[in-house]
């Protein structure tokens, strides 16, 4: 970690309302107020108190594999660049030249030896240090290059997932993740013994508040209705697997706003029970792997991993590990959110297995898939409906009466809104800190 500069609070910037918002009144144990979706002043304060004051996911190590590899992204509404330097250390840099403020990187991903501002040519190293400026003689001896590097954020990594924060005094990442770490470890088993690799992503926006998507990751209640078309596209065996709303799964609060929704308990650990029968939909893949010369143990490990995990993990506030992909949210405005779906494959794994993985991803999460467009329609309708009766409340009380202590926190049935309550408890904690 290098230089961390303080971020001016929204109130200090004069953009917060003159009268403080009574956040404690807007988040109740069983409901949240509709203004959380619609009030621009709340959105402004969220950037400061949620996105600039917590650990925020910025990428996976496979996206910056070599010295010079970079990925441009966002933390809240601030552009940043995740980059690996010549010593293979990771940096997250504010994407803003220290001279006149222009962005120094406009590419989404790539490889470079340096970052050069296109406006006046100030050049920066991969660690953000200012290396040179054109025609420096005009500055005399006043140019303090060591103080004018790109602003560098604090960076930490767990299980290949990279997070950054503006806060120098925030708890270590491992402490922030807490019990979520063991679920991240389980999630990474879906590479079937190979390293996890982000194969690509697609992005889309929906006209709704970011918290509507945050809620969705651990919302099984909507699945059989919103994803009816997806279920109708499955064979009978797969359809039974995805008929989990009345099953033995559960949702558990993991602390700090994180939560996990276990839909298919037998698929929590993809390296367990490898001697179980291979599902019919993967029989062709299994035979193809055998034909390539892989032994039966490896075939079963890969086949079991291809379908992804049986749980969704919500890492508050901006990333979900969902079956076989990362889903990242970026708040654009109070009523607009950008979503990234990053498909995961086995780095160096059999091509036929990765092809199966990508086809499964496209089937549900792809832009022409059966699932994501239906989710987007539902999210848009929530925001549209929020315009009616703005003094009404959003109910998140499903499963509350039956909630019991779990391994790491309160646990409800698989369709309980336990995950939403966990996120809003953390949201309230952030907004009132």
């Amino acid at each position: 970690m290098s230089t961390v500069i303080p971020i001016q609070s929204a109130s200090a910037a004069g953009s917060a309302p003159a009268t403080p918002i009574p956040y404690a009144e807007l988040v109740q144990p069983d409901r949240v107020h509709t203004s959380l979706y619609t009030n621009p002043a709340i959105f402004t304060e969220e950037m400061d108190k949620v996105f600039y004051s917590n650990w925020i996911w910025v990428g996976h190590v496979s996206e910056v594999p070599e010295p010079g590899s970079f990925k441009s992204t966002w933390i809240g509404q601030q552009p940043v660049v995740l980059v690996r330097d010549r010593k293979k250390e990771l940096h997250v840099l504010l994407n803003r030249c220290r001279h006149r403020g222009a962005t120094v990187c406009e590419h989404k991903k790539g490889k470079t030896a340096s970052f050069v501002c296109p406006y006046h040519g100030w050049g920066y190293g991969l660690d953000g240090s200012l290396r040179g400026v054109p025609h420096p003689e005009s500055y005399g001896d006043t140019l303090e290059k060591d103080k004018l590097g790109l602003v560098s954020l604090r960076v930490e990594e767990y299980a290949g997932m990279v997070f950054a924060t503006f806060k120098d005094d925030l708890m270590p990442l491992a402490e922030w993740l807490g019990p979520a770490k063991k679920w991240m470890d389980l999630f990474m088993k879906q590479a079937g013994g190979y390293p996890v690799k982000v194969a690509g992503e697609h992005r889309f926006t929906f006209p709704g508040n970011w918290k509507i998507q945050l809620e969705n990751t651990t919302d099984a209640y909507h699945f059989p209705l919103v994803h009816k078309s997806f279920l109708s596209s499955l064979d009978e065996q797969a359809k039974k697997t995805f008929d989990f709303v009345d099953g033995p799964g559960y949702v558990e609060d993991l602390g700090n706003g994180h939560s996990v929704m276990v839909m298919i308990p037998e698929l929590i650990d993809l390296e367990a029970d490898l001697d179980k029968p291979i599902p019919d939909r993967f029989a062709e893949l299994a035979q193809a792997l055998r034909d390539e010369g892989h032994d039966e143990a490896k075939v079963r490990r890969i086949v079991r991993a291809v379908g992804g995990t049986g749980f969704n993990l919500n890492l508050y506030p901006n990333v979900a590990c969902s079956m076989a992909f990362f889903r990242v949210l970026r708040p654009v405005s109070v009523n607009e959110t950008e979503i990234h779906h990053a498909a995961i494959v086995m780095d160096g794994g059999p091509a036929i297995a990765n092809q199966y993985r990508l086809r499964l991803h496209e089937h549900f999460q792809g832009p022409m898939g059966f699932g994501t467009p239906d989710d987007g329609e539902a999210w848009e309708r929530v925001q549209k409906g929020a315009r009616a009766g703005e003094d009404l409340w959003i109910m998140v009380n499903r499963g509350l009466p039956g909630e019991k202590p779990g391994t790491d926190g309160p646990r409800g049935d698989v369709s309980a809104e336990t995950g939403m309550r966990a996120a809003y408890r953390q949201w309230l904690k952030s907004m009132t800190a």
Side-chain angles (χ1 to χ4, degrees):
M1 182 196 75
S2 54
T3 307
V4 175
I5 62 173
I7 299 301
Q8 188 181 32
S9 68
S11 56
S15 52
T19 303
I21 296 171
Y23 289 113
E25 298 176 12
L26 302 180
V27 178
Q28 302 296 319
D30 63 345
R31 66 193 68 192
V32 297
H33 197 262
T34 298
S35 60
L36 268 62
Y37 294 164
T38 59
N39 188 332
I42 291 177
F43 180 83
T44 297
E45 287 203 83
E46 284 175 335
M47 294 305 101
D48 183 26
K49 296 182 176 180
V50 175
F51 286 89
Y52 306 149
S53 300
N54 285 308
W55 285 106
I56 304 298
W57 189 82
V58 291
H60 184 264
V61 291
S62 65
E63 296 179 279
V64 286
E66 302 171 350
S69 298
F70 70 87
K71 168 193 176 183
S72 59
T73 184
W74 298 80
I75 293 182
Q77 296 188 304
Q78 300 199 40
V80 300
V81 180
L82 168 64
V83 59
R84 192 180 292 276
D85 70 15
R86 298 181 190 282
K87 298 179 181 178
K88 296 189 176 182
E89 293 182 357
L90 295 171
H91 301 267
V92 174
L93 310 169
L94 279 190
N95 191 359
R96 172 191 168 117
C97 179
R98 295 299 301 277
H99 177 217
R100 299 283 288 279
T103 56
V104 298
C105 180
E106 284 296 309
H107 298 284
K108 290 180 179 177
K109 292 183 179 178
K111 191 173 180 182
T112 185
S114 62
F115 297 105
V116 178
C117 177
Y119 197 1
H120 297 93
W122 283 36
Y124 301 89
L126 298 176
D127 60 355
S129 59
L130 177 60
R131 295 296 174 83
V133 304
H135 310 296
E137 60 277 4
S138 183
Y139 287 104
D141 59 359
T142 64
L143 187 66
E144 299 182 278
K145 290 172 59 177
D146 60 331
K147 296 181 179 178
L148 291 173
L150 299 177
V151 174
S152 181
L153 276 60
R154 186 177 163 200
V155 183
E156 292 186 21
E157 170 201 340
Y158 184 82
M161 300 181 73
V162 185
F163 297 76
T165 180
F166 289 96
K167 294 293 185 181
D168 198 21
D169 58 353
L170 188 63
M171 68 179 77
L173 176 65
E175 182 179 347
W176 166 253
L177 294 172
K181 294 198 300 296
K182 68 184 178 187
W183 291 99
M184 295 168 71
D185 293 338
L186 288 166
F187 186 77
M188 299 307 167
K189 288 187 178 184
Q190 64 179 277
Y194 296 90
V196 166
K197 179 182 178 181
V198 171
E201 65 176 4
H202 74 273
R203 308 182 183 201
F204 62 96
T205 60
F206 71 93
N209 188 269
W210 65 276
K211 295 185 291 296
I212 295 172
Q213 195 283 298
L214 177 73
E215 298 167 4
N216 177 263
T217 298
T218 55
D219 178 1
Y221 193 28
H222 78 283
F223 198 89
L225 183 61
V226 173
H227 300 306
K228 189 174 182 180
S229 60
F230 167 71
L231 292 170
S232 68
S233 71
L234 302 176
D235 59 49
E236 288 304 313
Q237 193 178 42
K239 196 177 296 183
K240 288 180 181 178
T241 300
F242 284 94
D243 183 18
F244 50 72
V245 174
D246 294 321
Y250 58 89
V251 185
E252 186 163 320
D253 179 346
L254 302 176
N256 291 335
H258 316 312
S259 60
V260 65
M261 176 177 70
V262 176
M263 300 91 76
I264 310 169
E266 60 268 30
L267 293 179
I268 287 177
D269 188 344
L270 295 173
E271 295 180 351
D273 302 323
L274 294 178
D275 56 345
K276 283 190 173 181
I278 292 175
D280 294 344
R281 64 186 181 283
F282 295 128
E284 186 177 345
L285 169 62
Q287 189 56 51
L289 291 169
R290 292 185 191 106
D291 293 343
E292 287 185 356
H294 300 289
D295 63 42
E296 188 63 21
K298 189 172 184 180
V299 167
R300 287 178 173 272
R301 188 180 188 188
I302 292 172
V303 168
R304 190 170 172 83
V306 160
T309 62
F311 61 85
N312 284 357
L313 175 64
N314 228 1
L315 298 175
Y316 180 88
N318 78 317
V319 64
C321 302
S322 182
M323 296 198 76
F325 70 109
F326 298 128
R327 181 158 71 186
V328 189
L329 67 84
R330 179 172 81 86
V332 177
S333 68
V334 68
N335 54 13
E336 184 177 7
T337 304
E338 184 178 83
I339 302 296
H340 302 180
H341 277 177
I344 295 171
V345 297
M346 307 170 187
D347 191 4
I352 183 69
N354 283 334
Q355 288 171 5
Y356 257 76
R357 169 64 66 79
L358 291 175
R359 298 296 89 79
L360 290 172
H361 180 81
E362 292 163 357
H363 187 185
F364 189 84
Q365 283 87 20
M368 296 296 288
F370 283 87
T372 295
D374 292 336
D375 272 333
E377 173 73 14
W379 302 341
E380 181 175 349
R381 289 192 179 204
V382 171
Q383 188 72 31
K384 188 185 296 182
R387 298 175 188 164
E390 287 194 345
D391 57 340
L392 299 178
W393 294 75
I394 306 294
M395 303 305 297
V396 291
N397 60 334
R398 182 172 173 82
L400 188 57
E403 207 166 67
K404 299 176 180 177
T407 304
D408 297 304
R411 179 184 292 189
D413 65 81
V414 70
S415 69
E417 288 156 349
T418 302
M420 301 175 206
R421 294 191 285 273
Y424 280 115
R425 272 195 294 274
Q426 184 63 30
W427 183 91
L428 179 59
K429 183 178 179 181
S430 295
M431 298 300 282
T432 54

